[in-house]
Amino acid sequence: MKDTSRPDPWAPEAGARELMVTLWYPTRAREGRRARYMTVKESELTLKGRRVTGAPYDVLSKTRTNAFSDARPAGRKGSLPLVVLSPGFTMPRSTLTALGEELASRGYAVAGIDHTYENYATTFPDGRVAGCVACDSDSDSGFGFGFGFGTKVVGVRAADVSFVLDRLSGPSAEWEGSSLIDPSRIAMAGQSIGGAGAIAAMLKDSRIRAGIDMDGTTYARIPKSGLSRPFLFMGSAGHPPGGRDNSWDRDWKLLTGWKRWLLLPGADHQSFTDVPLLASALGIGVPGDLSAARSVEITRTYVRAFLDLHLRTGRQPCWTDRRPATPRSSSAPRPGRPAGSGSPSAPRPAALPDRPGGPSAGVSAGQREALTGPVRGPPSPGPGA
């Protein structure tokens, strides 16, 4: 997707801002080409950037998801709520695959955005690879980013999100399944700076009805009049009320609508991503004290319960209590088994574990041809990324 209305904020010499977006969505297809997790160059540069040395640099390009590339979207006109996913700084959109495929399997259209030049590698259809220009711009002041840098990042992401929404709904829609999206039911979730970007995007774009910040220090300032749309903070041990990062305490007072602050004991900053699922393949320890299965179970269950409540107005057992007046750091009770159990698998070329129940999720590979690849094992009827 190319936004000709603005130059790239990190590389003005590159011209217009270009974004790569992966779409996960329901499909009735039961076989097809499995989407691969990353391109070869993305895998190499991501592992080098994260200083991972215990696995071949191409391992993530040999990892298969549950998604079928270019599968035909399923649904009626206006039947699919839309969720935008924004990854952490330096991390590609593919690191939120487990969450994206879960939501797609439950009837959501999901758009995962690579914020170009903010992650180690973004591959474009013509073979160009954009590196992390923004990585050289950060002046870290201690906890999180320097305030000015963090403010710029979330501002860029808010603009990216609004542009993507324009291209997925309304008169400028470009995706073949855009008519299936209900533009009145849009939410955003992100991890780390991607979660911080959710607040920034909600302040900029009223189309976003609800937001989730998964362990991200926030930078956009909520006005004194407050933000009345629903918001969920999901944090690791680094985000307790009154903790070192006071951004959530500051914002909590200004969230005037439905809100929750969920602290997950034993969680790490990356517990809300695919990193725990890939840890053994990459030769690294599982971050935090939660198992990989538990991390993905919690993330999928609570994110989906939040979205079902606010985009589908369905009562959810997770949120039966009255709205808390003060920040509440609560442990997540063990949820019931979430729909499906698929997750990226490695270290050798493999399909993700099969997922029972629900429609399949197809991934739009029209903008990223490298997402296609061979299938190992039987095709799964479950969703993919």
Side-chain angles (χ1 to χ4, degrees):
M1 293 184 178
K2 181 178 287 190
D3 185 356
T4 57
S5 70
R6 57 182 173 134
D8 193 282
W10 302 110
E13 68 279 5
R17 179 73 164 162
E18 290 184 272
L19 300 172
M20 289 299 295
V21 178
T22 293
L23 294 175
W24 294 273
Y25 49 83
T27 180
R28 298 193 183 282
R30 289 297 181 265
E31 58 184 19
R33 297 175 300 173
R34 293 288 182 96
R36 68 175 171 181
Y37 195 67
M38 292 183 188
T39 66
V40 173
K41 199 63 178 178
E42 287 169 344
S43 179
E44 175 190 349
L45 294 181
T46 298
L47 295 186
K48 285 182 176 178
R50 304 297 295 186
R51 296 181 174 86
V52 174
T53 59
Y57 284 135
D58 64 351
V59 65
L60 296 178
S61 70
K62 297 179 178 179
T63 300
R64 296 295 181 263
T65 72
N66 283 305
F68 300 133
S69 294
D70 296 321
R72 184 176 179 178
R76 302 182 307 278
K77 182 177 180 179
S79 64
L80 304 182
L82 173 64
V83 181
V84 176
L85 296 183
S86 181
F89 191 67
T90 76
M91 303 295 276
R93 64 193 187 277
S94 57
T95 54
L96 297 176
T97 289
L99 178 57
E101 64 184 18
E102 165 67 13
L103 297 177
S105 78
R106 294 303 173 179
Y108 288 89
V110 184
I113 303 176
D114 255 6
H115 302 278
T116 313
Y117 299 114
E118 294 178 23
N119 64 313
Y120 289 124
T122 297
T123 304
F124 291 101
D126 61 6
R128 287 175 298 131
V129 178
C132 191
V133 174
C135 291
D136 299 325
S137 306
D138 176 27
S139 55
D140 195 331
S141 63
F143 194 97
F145 299 111
F147 180 77
F149 179 75
T151 300
K152 177 177 179 177
V153 173
V154 298
V156 170
R157 294 194 174 207
D160 288 348
V161 170
S162 288
F163 169 68
V164 170
L165 294 183
D166 290 342
R167 292 298 180 267
L168 292 180
S169 62
S172 300
E174 296 180 349
W175 177 45
E176 64 171 324
S178 291
S179 64
L180 305 179
I181 292 174
D182 181 351
S184 70
R185 293 187 291 162
I186 298 173
M188 177 176 173
Q191 186 265 341
S192 193
I193 197 73
I199 284 184
M202 291 177 74
L203 293 173
K204 173 182 172 59
D205 198 321
S206 61
R207 290 176 292 182
I208 305 172
R209 277 180 46 176
I212 302 173
D213 180 353
M214 296 180 287
D215 217 41
T217 298
T218 60
Y219 297 93
R221 293 303 176 91
I222 300 175
K224 292 182 179 179
S225 57
L227 178 62
S228 61
R229 280 164 279 164
F231 203 85
L232 171 64
F233 285 125
M234 289 181 67
S236 66
H239 274 111
R244 182 182 173 191
D245 175 16
N246 64 4
S247 66
W248 286 16
D249 295 272
R250 178 196 68 218
D251 292 345
W252 179 266
K253 300 171 185 176
L254 296 169
L255 293 172
T256 58
W258 188 104
K259 58 184 178 180
R260 294 294 186 276
W261 182 325
L262 187 63
L263 185 67
L264 308 180
D268 174 82
H269 190 55
Q270 297 297 337
S271 294
F272 308 95
T273 73
D274 296 347
V275 171
L277 299 168
L278 299 167
S280 61
L282 299 179
I284 61 176
V286 175
D289 297 327
L290 298 176
S291 68
R294 177 69 170 143
S295 293
V296 73
E297 177 189 32
I298 291 173
T299 302
R300 283 173 163 172
T301 298
Y302 283 93
V303 168
R304 184 163 63 87
F306 172 86
L307 296 172
D308 284 351
L309 177 65
H310 298 294
L311 298 187
R312 288 177 163 156
T313 63
R315 183 176 178 273
Q316 299 296 316
C318 296
W319 317 120
T320 54
D321 57 329
R322 292 182 297 176
R323 191 186 77 177
T326 57
R328 185 186 64 186
S329 169
S330 59
S331 301
R334 178 169 291 277
R337 185 175 183 271
S341 56
S343 57
S345 61
R348 60 185 184 277
L352 282 113
D354 287 348
R355 304 184 56 199
S360 302
V363 60
S364 174
Q367 297 182 44
R368 183 174 169 177
E369 295 177 357
L371 279 176
T372 62
V375 177
R376 275 190 62 139
S380 167

